[in-house]
Amino acid sequence: MIAAVVQYAVPPAVSVLQRTPGALEAGQWWRLATPLFVQTLGWYQVVTNLVTLALVGMVAERELGRGRWLVLFVAGTVGGQVAAYAWQEPGGGDSIAICGLAGGAVVWLLARRNQASRWDVAVLACYVGALTGWGFLGIRAAAVGAVTAAVALYVNRRIALAAAAVCATALAAHADLHGVSLLSGMAIGLLLLVIRVGPPRAGRAAGRCRGAV
């Protein structure tokens, strides 16, 4: 929010902070991180990213914990930035970091089978569905994608989550940064599941009970 205020109060800040092809070769290494803080598509990107960060971020923190949240945030950022500079795509926005959170949470909830909260699945599935529609056909398709995800959720939660993984792959194949960031989050989320970085909350609670006994 502070960065949004700054970019409207001092418009030249956008050109200094956004992702610019060729900037890294010129030694402007700060542009690896600063594009997260400027929303180059205007006020609607500011609002959309703030709202989705709150929703997806809440789901990721509740399901995975704060440590994993940070790891996935970084994973999405790195994956998206690498793809963006490789494809010479200018711009900015923190949606790639949000995608890292969403991708990791999708994998995590798929692994939990029937324990996944319907609300959490709805947030993730509709977010990825909207991104997919937007990435292929624009804003109207984004609405259709969100509605389709909601219908899939009504049928089966795991189908909705699996469809989100398929959408991420399709977006990446379409050379969309969001798809790469989603897949980056999914890959790191799978890795966290395998190596169990930090026991899940249920495990910690059980450990405390055993210790008390």
Side-chain angles (χ1 to χ4, degrees), residues 18-95:
Q18 72 177 358
R19 186 172 52 248
T20 303
L24 299 184
E25 290 82 347
Q28 299 175 10
W29 295 102
W30 66 83
R31 294 183 190 269
L32 288 171
T34 56
L36 288 178
F37 302 107
V38 290
Q39 315 297 325
T40 54
L41 297 182
W43 65 267
Y44 72 90
Q45 187 185 21
V46 174
V47 173
T48 301
N49 282 348
L50 281 175
V51 171
T52 53
L53 176 59
L55 291 173
V56 175
M58 176 183 65
V59 170
E61 182 177 1
R62 178 166 57 225
E63 296 290 347
L64 289 89
R66 294 181 181 178
R68 298 186 186 95
W69 191 102
L70 181 59
V71 171
L72 293 172
F73 189 91
V74 173
T77 300
V78 171
Q81 291 290 68
V82 169
Y85 279 110
W87 295 333
Q88 299 290 297
E89 185 169 330
D94 60 346
S95 57

Coordinates of all heavy atoms in Angstrom, one line a residue, residues 18-95:
Q18 N 10.5 -0.7 -11.7 CA 9.9 -1.8 -12.4 C 10.9 -2.7 -13.1 O 12.1 -2.4 -13.2 CB 8.9 -1.2 -13.4 CG 9.6 -0.6 -14.6 CD 8.6 -0.1 -15.6 OE1 7.4 -0.2 -15.5 NE2 9.1 0.6 -16.7
R19 N 10.4 -3.8 -13.6 CA 11.2 -4.8 -14.3 C 11.4 -4.2 -15.7 O 10.5 -3.9 -16.4 CB 10.5 -6.1 -14.3 CG 11.3 -7.2 -15.0 CD 10.6 -8.5 -14.8 NE 9.2 -8.5 -15.3 CZ 8.1 -8.6 -14.5 NH1 8.3 -8.7 -13.2 NH2 6.9 -8.5 -15.0
T20 N 12.7 -4.1 -16.1 CA 13.1 -3.5 -17.4 C 14.1 -4.4 -18.1 O 15.1 -4.7 -17.6 CB 13.7 -2.1 -17.2 OG1 12.7 -1.3 -16.5 CG2 14.0 -1.5 -18.6
P21 N 13.7 -4.9 -19.3 CA 14.7 -5.8 -20.0 C 16.0 -5.1 -20.2 O 16.0 -3.9 -20.6 CB 13.9 -6.0 -21.4 CG 12.5 -5.9 -21.0 CD 12.4 -4.8 -20.0
G22 N 17.1 -5.8 -20.0 CA 18.4 -5.2 -20.1 C 18.9 -4.5 -18.9 O 20.1 -4.2 -18.9
A23 N 18.1 -4.3 -17.9 CA 18.5 -3.6 -16.7 C 19.5 -4.3 -15.9 O 20.5 -3.8 -15.4 CB 17.3 -3.2 -15.8
L24 N 19.4 -5.7 -15.8 CA 20.3 -6.4 -15.0 C 21.7 -6.4 -15.6 O 22.7 -6.3 -14.9 CB 19.8 -7.9 -14.9 CG 18.5 -8.1 -14.2 CD1 18.2 -9.6 -14.1 CD2 18.5 -7.4 -12.8
E25 N 21.7 -6.5 -17.0 CA 23.0 -6.4 -17.7 C 23.7 -5.1 -17.4 O 24.9 -5.0 -17.4 CB 22.9 -6.6 -19.2 CG 22.5 -8.0 -19.6 CD 21.0 -8.3 -19.4 OE1 20.3 -7.5 -18.8 OE2 20.5 -9.3 -19.9
A26 N 22.9 -4.1 -17.1 CA 23.4 -2.7 -16.8 C 23.8 -2.6 -15.4 O 24.2 -1.5 -14.9 CB 22.4 -1.7 -17.2
G27 N 23.7 -3.6 -14.6 CA 24.1 -3.6 -13.2 C 23.0 -3.1 -12.2 O 23.3 -2.9 -11.1
Q28 N 21.7 -3.0 -12.7 CA 20.6 -2.6 -11.8 C 20.0 -3.8 -11.1 O 18.8 -4.1 -11.4 CB 19.6 -1.8 -12.7 CG 20.2 -0.6 -13.3 CD 19.3 0.1 -14.3 OE1 18.1 -0.2 -14.3 NE2 19.8 1.1 -15.0
W29 N 20.7 -4.4 -10.2 CA 20.3 -5.6 -9.5 C 19.1 -5.4 -8.6 O 18.4 -6.4 -8.3 CB 21.5 -6.2 -8.8 CG 22.6 -6.6 -9.7 CD1 23.8 -6.0 -9.9 CD2 22.6 -7.8 -10.5 NE1 24.5 -6.6 -10.8 CE2 23.9 -7.8 -11.2 CE3 21.8 -8.8 -10.7 CZ2 24.2 -8.8 -12.1 CZ3 22.1 -9.8 -11.6 CH2 23.3 -9.8 -12.3
W30 N 18.8 -4.2 -8.2 CA 17.7 -4.0 -7.3 C 16.4 -4.3 -8.0 O 15.4 -4.6 -7.4 CB 17.6 -2.5 -6.9 CG 17.4 -1.5 -7.9 CD1 16.2 -1.1 -8.5 CD2 18.3 -0.8 -8.7 NE1 16.3 -0.2 -9.4 CE2 17.6 0.1 -9.6 CE3 19.7 -0.7 -8.6 CZ2 18.3 0.9 -10.5 CZ3 20.4 0.2 -9.5 CH2 19.7 1.0 -10.4
R31 N 16.4 -4.4 -9.4 CA 15.2 -4.7 -10.1 C 14.8 -6.2 -10.0 O 13.8 -6.6 -10.6 CB 15.3 -4.3 -11.6 CG 15.5 -2.8 -11.8 CD 15.5 -2.4 -13.3 NE 15.9 -1.0 -13.5 CZ 15.0 -0.1 -13.7 NH1 13.7 -0.3 -13.6 NH2 15.4 1.2 -13.9
L32 N 15.6 -7.0 -9.4 CA 15.2 -8.3 -9.1 C 14.1 -8.4 -8.0 O 13.2 -9.3 -8.0 CB 16.4 -9.2 -8.6 CG 17.4 -9.5 -9.6 CD1 18.7 -10.1 -8.9 CD2 16.9 -10.5 -10.6
A33 N 14.1 -7.4 -7.1 CA 13.1 -7.4 -6.0 C 12.1 -6.2 -6.1 O 10.9 -6.4 -5.8 CB 13.8 -7.3 -4.7
T34 N 12.5 -5.1 -6.6 CA 11.6 -3.9 -6.5 C 10.4 -4.0 -7.4 O 9.4 -3.3 -7.1 CB 12.4 -2.6 -6.9 OG1 13.1 -2.7 -8.2 CG2 13.5 -2.3 -5.8
P35 N 10.4 -4.8 -8.5 CA 9.1 -4.9 -9.3 C 7.9 -5.4 -8.5 O 6.8 -5.1 -8.9 CB 9.5 -5.9 -10.4 CG 11.0 -5.7 -10.6 CD 11.5 -5.4 -9.2
L36 N 8.2 -6.0 -7.3 CA 7.1 -6.5 -6.5 C 6.3 -5.3 -5.9 O 5.1 -5.4 -5.6 CB 7.6 -7.3 -5.3 CG 8.1 -8.7 -5.6 CD1 8.7 -9.3 -4.3 CD2 7.0 -9.6 -6.2
F37 N 7.0 -4.2 -5.8 CA 6.4 -3.0 -5.1 C 5.7 -2.0 -5.9 O 5.1 -1.1 -5.4 CB 7.5 -2.4 -4.2 CG 8.1 -3.3 -3.2 CD1 9.4 -3.8 -3.5 CD2 7.4 -3.8 -2.1 CE1 10.0 -4.6 -2.6 CE2 8.0 -4.7 -1.3 CZ 9.3 -5.1 -1.5
V38 N 5.7 -2.2 -7.2 CA 5.0 -1.2 -8.1 C 4.1 -2.0 -9.0 O 4.4 -3.1 -9.5 CB 6.0 -0.5 -9.0 CG1 6.8 0.5 -8.2 CG2 7.0 -1.4 -9.8
Q39 N 2.9 -1.5 -9.1 CA 1.8 -2.1 -9.8 C 1.6 -1.3 -11.1 O 1.0 -0.3 -11.2 CB 0.5 -2.1 -9.0 CG 0.6 -2.5 -7.6 CD 1.1 -4.0 -7.4 OE1 0.8 -4.9 -8.2 NE2 1.9 -4.2 -6.4
T40 N 2.3 -1.8 -12.2 CA 2.4 -1.0 -13.4 C 1.1 -0.9 -14.3 O 1.1 -0.2 -15.2 CB 3.6 -1.5 -14.3 OG1 3.4 -2.9 -14.5 CG2 4.9 -1.3 -13.5
L41 N 0.1 -1.7 -14.0 CA -1.1 -1.7 -14.8 C -2.1 -0.7 -14.2 O -3.2 -0.6 -14.8 CB -1.7 -3.1 -14.8 CG -0.8 -4.2 -15.5 CD1 -1.5 -5.5 -15.5 CD2 -0.4 -3.8 -16.9
G42 N -1.8 -0.1 -13.1 CA -2.8 1.0 -12.7 C -3.5 0.6 -11.4 O -3.1 -0.4 -10.7
W43 N -4.5 1.4 -11.0 CA -5.1 1.3 -9.7 C -5.8 -0.1 -9.5 O -5.9 -0.6 -8.4 CB -6.1 2.4 -9.5 CG -7.3 2.3 -10.5 CD1 -7.4 3.0 -11.7 CD2 -8.5 1.6 -10.3 NE1 -8.6 2.7 -12.3 CE2 -9.3 1.8 -11.5 CE3 -9.0 0.7 -9.4 CZ2 -10.5 1.2 -11.7 CZ3 -10.2 0.1 -9.6 CH2 -11.0 0.4 -10.7
Y44 N -6.4 -0.6 -10.6 CA -7.1 -1.9 -10.5 C -6.1 -3.1 -10.2 O -6.5 -4.0 -9.5 CB -7.9 -2.2 -11.8 CG -7.1 -2.7 -13.0 CD1 -6.8 -4.0 -13.2 CD2 -6.7 -1.7 -13.9 CE1 -6.0 -4.4 -14.3 CE2 -5.9 -2.1 -15.0 CZ -5.6 -3.4 -15.2 OH -4.9 -3.8 -16.3
Q45 N -4.9 -2.9 -10.6 CA -3.9 -4.0 -10.2 C -3.5 -3.8 -8.8 O -3.3 -4.8 -8.1 CB -2.6 -3.8 -11.1 CG -1.6 -4.9 -10.9 CD -0.3 -4.7 -11.6 OE1 0.0 -3.6 -12.0 NE2 0.4 -5.8 -11.8
V46 N -3.5 -2.6 -8.3 CA -3.2 -2.3 -6.9 C -4.3 -3.0 -6.0 O -4.0 -3.8 -5.1 CB -3.1 -0.8 -6.5 CG1 -3.0 -0.6 -5.0 CG2 -2.0 -0.2 -7.3
V47 N -5.5 -2.7 -6.3 CA -6.7 -3.3 -5.6 C -6.7 -4.8 -5.7 O -6.8 -5.5 -4.6 CB -8.0 -2.7 -6.1 CG1 -9.2 -3.4 -5.4 CG2 -8.0 -1.2 -5.8
T48 N -6.6 -5.3 -6.9 CA -6.7 -6.8 -7.1 C -5.6 -7.5 -6.3 O -5.8 -8.5 -5.6 CB -6.6 -7.1 -8.6 OG1 -7.6 -6.5 -9.3 CG2 -6.6 -8.6 -8.8
N49 N -4.3 -7.0 -6.4 CA -3.2 -7.7 -5.8 C -3.3 -7.6 -4.2 O -2.9 -8.5 -3.5 CB -1.9 -7.2 -6.3 CG -1.6 -7.8 -7.7 OD1 -2.2 -8.7 -8.1 ND2 -0.6 -7.2 -8.3
L50 N -3.8 -6.4 -3.7 CA -3.9 -6.3 -2.3 C -5.0 -7.3 -1.8 O -4.8 -8.0 -0.7 CB -4.3 -4.9 -1.9 CG -3.2 -3.9 -1.9 CD1 -3.7 -2.5 -1.6 CD2 -2.1 -4.2 -0.8
V51 N -6.1 -7.4 -2.5 CA -7.2 -8.3 -2.0 C -6.8 -9.7 -2.1 O -7.0 -10.5 -1.2 CB -8.5 -8.0 -2.9 CG1 -9.5 -9.1 -2.6 CG2 -9.0 -6.6 -2.6
T52 N -6.2 -10.1 -3.3 CA -5.8 -11.5 -3.4 C -4.6 -11.9 -2.5 O -4.5 -13.0 -2.0 CB -5.4 -11.8 -4.9 OG1 -4.4 -10.9 -5.4 CG2 -6.7 -11.7 -5.8
L53 N -3.7 -10.9 -2.2 CA -2.7 -11.2 -1.3 C -3.2 -11.5 0.1 O -2.8 -12.4 0.8 CB -1.7 -10.1 -1.2 CG -0.6 -10.2 -0.1 CD1 0.3 -11.4 -0.4 CD2 0.3 -9.0 -0.1
A54 N -4.2 -10.7 0.5 CA -4.9 -10.9 1.8 C -5.6 -12.3 1.8 O -5.4 -13.1 2.8 CB -5.9 -9.8 2.1
L55 N -6.3 -12.7 0.8 CA -7.1 -13.9 0.8 C -6.1 -15.1 0.6 O -6.2 -16.1 1.5 CB -8.1 -13.9 -0.4 CG -9.2 -12.9 -0.2 CD1 -10.1 -12.9 -1.5 CD2 -10.1 -13.3 1.0
V56 N -5.3 -15.1 -0.4 CA -4.4 -16.3 -0.6 C -3.4 -16.4 0.5 O -3.1 -17.5 1.0 CB -3.7 -16.2 -2.0 CG1 -2.7 -17.3 -2.2 CG2 -4.8 -16.2 -3.1
G57 N -2.9 -15.2 0.9 CA -1.9 -15.2 2.0 C -2.5 -15.8 3.3 O -1.8 -16.5 4.0
M58 N -3.7 -15.4 3.6 CA -4.4 -16.0 4.8 C -4.5 -17.5 4.7 O -4.2 -18.2 5.7 CB -5.8 -15.3 4.9 CG -6.6 -15.9 6.1 SD -8.2 -15.1 6.1 CE -8.9 -15.8 4.6
V59 N -4.9 -18.0 3.6 CA -5.0 -19.4 3.4 C -3.7 -20.1 3.6 O -3.6 -21.1 4.3 CB -5.7 -19.8 2.0 CG1 -5.6 -21.3 1.7 CG2 -7.1 -19.3 2.0
A60 N -2.7 -19.6 2.9 CA -1.3 -20.2 3.0 C -0.8 -20.2 4.4 O -0.2 -21.2 4.8 CB -0.4 -19.5 2.0
E61 N -1.0 -19.1 5.1 CA -0.5 -19.0 6.5 C -1.2 -20.0 7.4 O -0.6 -20.6 8.2 CB -0.6 -17.6 7.0 CG 0.0 -17.4 8.4 CD 0.0 -16.0 8.9 OE1 -0.6 -15.1 8.2 OE2 0.4 -15.8 10.1
R62 N -2.5 -20.0 7.2 CA -3.3 -20.9 8.1 C -2.9 -22.4 7.9 O -2.8 -23.2 8.8 CB -4.8 -20.7 7.9 CG -5.6 -21.6 8.7 CD -7.1 -21.1 8.8 NE -7.6 -21.0 7.4 CZ -8.4 -20.0 7.0 NH1 -8.6 -19.0 7.8 NH2 -8.9 -20.0 5.8
E63 N -2.8 -22.8 6.6 CA -2.5 -24.2 6.3 C -1.1 -24.6 6.4 O -0.8 -25.7 6.8 CB -3.0 -24.4 4.8 CG -4.5 -24.2 4.6 CD -5.3 -25.3 5.2 OE1 -4.7 -26.3 5.7 OE2 -6.5 -25.1 5.3
L64 N -0.1 -23.7 6.1 CA 1.3 -24.1 6.1 C 2.1 -23.5 7.2 O 3.2 -23.9 7.5 CB 1.9 -23.8 4.8 CG 1.4 -24.6 3.6 CD1 0.2 -24.0 2.9 CD2 2.6 -24.7 2.5
G65 N 1.7 -22.4 7.8 CA 2.5 -21.7 8.8 C 3.3 -20.6 8.2 O 3.5 -20.5 7.0
R66 N 3.9 -19.7 9.1 CA 4.5 -18.5 8.6 C 5.9 -18.8 7.9 O 6.2 -18.1 7.0 CB 4.8 -17.6 9.8 CG 3.5 -17.0 10.4 CD 3.7 -16.1 11.5 NE 2.5 -15.6 12.0 CZ 2.4 -14.8 13.1 NH1 3.5 -14.4 13.7 NH2 1.2 -14.4 13.5
G67 N 6.6 -19.8 8.4 CA 7.9 -20.1 7.8 C 7.7 -20.5 6.4 O 8.4 -20.1 5.4
R68 N 6.8 -21.5 6.1 CA 6.6 -22.0 4.8 C 6.0 -20.9 3.9 O 6.3 -20.8 2.7 CB 5.7 -23.2 4.8 CG 6.2 -24.4 5.6 CD 5.3 -25.6 5.4 NE 5.7 -26.7 6.3 CZ 5.2 -26.9 7.5 NH1 4.3 -26.1 8.0 NH2 5.7 -28.0 8.2
W69 N 5.2 -20.0 4.5 CA 4.6 -18.9 3.8 C 5.7 -18.1 3.1 O 5.7 -17.7 2.0 CB 3.8 -18.0 4.8 CG 2.9 -17.0 4.2 CD1 1.6 -17.0 4.0 CD2 3.3 -15.7 3.7 NE1 1.1 -15.8 3.5 CE2 2.2 -15.0 3.3 CE3 4.5 -15.0 3.6 CZ2 2.2 -13.7 2.8 CZ3 4.6 -13.7 3.1 CH2 3.4 -13.1 2.7
L70 N 6.7 -17.7 3.9 CA 7.8 -16.9 3.4 C 8.6 -17.6 2.3 O 9.0 -17.0 1.3 CB 8.8 -16.5 4.6 CG 10.0 -15.7 4.2 CD1 9.5 -14.3 3.6 CD2 10.8 -15.4 5.4
V71 N 8.8 -18.9 2.5 CA 9.6 -19.7 1.5 C 8.8 -19.7 0.2 O 9.4 -19.5 -0.9 CB 9.8 -21.2 2.0 CG1 10.3 -22.0 0.9 CG2 10.7 -21.2 3.2
L72 N 7.5 -19.9 0.2 CA 6.7 -19.9 -1.0 C 6.6 -18.6 -1.6 O 6.5 -18.5 -2.9 CB 5.3 -20.5 -0.7 CG 5.2 -22.0 -0.2 CD1 3.9 -22.3 0.2 CD2 5.7 -22.9 -1.4
F73 N 6.5 -17.5 -0.8 CA 6.5 -16.2 -1.4 C 7.7 -15.9 -2.2 O 7.7 -15.4 -3.3 CB 6.4 -15.2 -0.2 CG 6.1 -13.8 -0.6 CD1 4.9 -13.3 -0.7 CD2 7.2 -12.9 -0.8 CE1 4.6 -11.9 -1.0 CE2 7.0 -11.6 -1.2 CZ 5.7 -11.1 -1.2
V74 N 8.9 -16.3 -1.6 CA 10.1 -16.1 -2.3 C 10.2 -17.0 -3.6 O 10.7 -16.6 -4.6 CB 11.3 -16.4 -1.4 CG1 12.7 -16.4 -2.2 CG2 11.4 -15.4 -0.3
A75 N 9.7 -18.2 -3.5 CA 9.8 -19.2 -4.6 C 9.0 -18.6 -5.8 O 9.4 -18.7 -6.9 CB 9.2 -20.5 -4.2
G76 N 7.8 -18.1 -5.5 CA 7.0 -17.5 -6.6 C 7.6 -16.3 -7.2 O 7.6 -16.2 -8.5
T77 N 8.3 -15.5 -6.4 CA 9.0 -14.3 -6.9 C 10.1 -14.7 -7.8 O 10.3 -14.2 -8.9 CB 9.5 -13.5 -5.7 OG1 8.4 -13.1 -4.9 CG2 10.2 -12.2 -6.2
V78 N 11.0 -15.6 -7.3 CA 12.1 -16.0 -8.1 C 11.7 -16.6 -9.4 O 12.3 -16.3 -10.5 CB 13.0 -17.0 -7.3 CG1 14.1 -17.6 -8.1 CG2 13.6 -16.3 -6.0
G79 N 10.8 -17.6 -9.4 CA 10.3 -18.2 -10.6 C 9.8 -17.2 -11.6 O 10.1 -17.3 -12.8
G80 N 8.9 -16.3 -11.1 CA 8.3 -15.3 -12.0 C 9.4 -14.3 -12.6 O 9.3 -14.0 -13.8
Q81 N 10.3 -13.9 -11.7 CA 11.3 -12.9 -12.2 C 12.3 -13.6 -13.2 O 12.6 -12.9 -14.2 CB 12.1 -12.4 -11.0 CG 11.3 -11.5 -10.1 CD 10.9 -10.2 -10.8 OE1 10.2 -10.1 -11.7 NE2 11.5 -9.1 -10.2
V82 N 12.7 -14.8 -13.0 CA 13.6 -15.5 -13.9 C 12.9 -15.6 -15.3 O 13.5 -15.3 -16.3 CB 14.0 -16.9 -13.4 CG1 14.6 -17.7 -14.4 CG2 14.9 -16.7 -12.2
A83 N 11.6 -16.0 -15.3 CA 10.9 -16.2 -16.5 C 10.7 -14.8 -17.2 O 10.9 -14.7 -18.4 CB 9.5 -16.8 -16.3
A84 N 10.4 -13.8 -16.4 CA 10.2 -12.5 -17.0 C 11.4 -11.9 -17.7 O 11.3 -11.4 -18.8 CB 9.7 -11.5 -15.9
Y85 N 12.5 -12.0 -17.0 CA 13.8 -11.5 -17.6 C 14.2 -12.4 -18.8 O 14.7 -11.9 -19.8 CB 14.9 -11.4 -16.6 CG 14.7 -10.1 -15.8 CD1 14.4 -10.2 -14.4 CD2 15.0 -8.9 -16.3 CE1 14.2 -9.0 -13.7 CE2 14.8 -7.7 -15.6 CZ 14.5 -7.8 -14.2 OH 14.3 -6.6 -13.5
A86 N 13.9 -13.7 -18.7 CA 14.3 -14.6 -19.8 C 13.4 -14.2 -21.1 O 13.9 -14.3 -22.2 CB 14.1 -16.0 -19.4
W87 N 12.1 -13.9 -20.8 CA 11.2 -13.6 -21.9 C 11.2 -12.1 -22.2 O 10.4 -11.6 -23.1 CB 9.8 -14.0 -21.6 CG 9.7 -15.5 -21.4 CD1 10.5 -16.4 -22.0 CD2 8.8 -16.2 -20.6 NE1 10.1 -17.7 -21.7 CE2 9.0 -17.6 -20.8 CE3 7.7 -15.9 -19.8 CZ2 8.3 -18.6 -20.2 CZ3 7.0 -16.9 -19.2 CH2 7.3 -18.2 -19.4
Q88 N 12.1 -11.3 -21.6 CA 12.2 -9.9 -21.8 C 10.8 -9.1 -21.6 O 10.4 -8.3 -22.4 CB 12.7 -9.6 -23.3 CG 14.1 -10.2 -23.6 CD 15.2 -9.4 -22.8 OE1 15.4 -8.2 -23.0 NE2 15.9 -10.1 -21.9
E89 N 10.2 -9.5 -20.5 CA 8.8 -8.9 -20.3 C 8.9 -7.8 -19.2 O 9.3 -8.1 -18.0 CB 7.9 -10.0 -19.8 CG 6.5 -9.5 -19.6 CD 5.5 -10.7 -19.4 OE1 5.7 -11.8 -19.9 OE2 4.5 -10.5 -18.7
P90 N 8.6 -6.6 -19.5 CA 8.7 -5.5 -18.6 C 7.5 -5.5 -17.6 O 6.5 -6.3 -17.9 CB 8.7 -4.3 -19.4 CG 7.9 -4.7 -20.6 CD 8.2 -6.1 -20.9
G91 N 7.5 -4.7 -16.6 CA 6.3 -4.5 -15.8 C 6.7 -4.6 -14.3 O 7.8 -4.5 -13.8
G92 N 5.6 -4.9 -13.5 CA 5.8 -5.0 -12.1 C 4.5 -5.6 -11.4 O 3.5 -5.7 -12.1
G93 N 4.6 -5.8 -10.2 CA 3.4 -6.3 -9.4 C 3.8 -7.5 -8.6 O 4.7 -8.3 -8.9
D94 N 3.0 -7.7 -7.5 CA 3.4 -8.8 -6.6 C 2.6 -10.1 -6.8 O 2.6 -11.0 -6.0 CB 3.2 -8.4 -5.1 CG 1.8 -8.0 -4.8 OD1 1.0 -7.7 -5.7 OD2 1.5 -7.8 -3.6
S95 N 1.9 -10.2 -7.9 CA 1.1 -11.3 -8.2 C 1.9 -12.6 -8.4 O 1.4 -13.7 -8.1 CB 0.2 -11.1 -9.5 OG 1.0 -10.8 -10.6

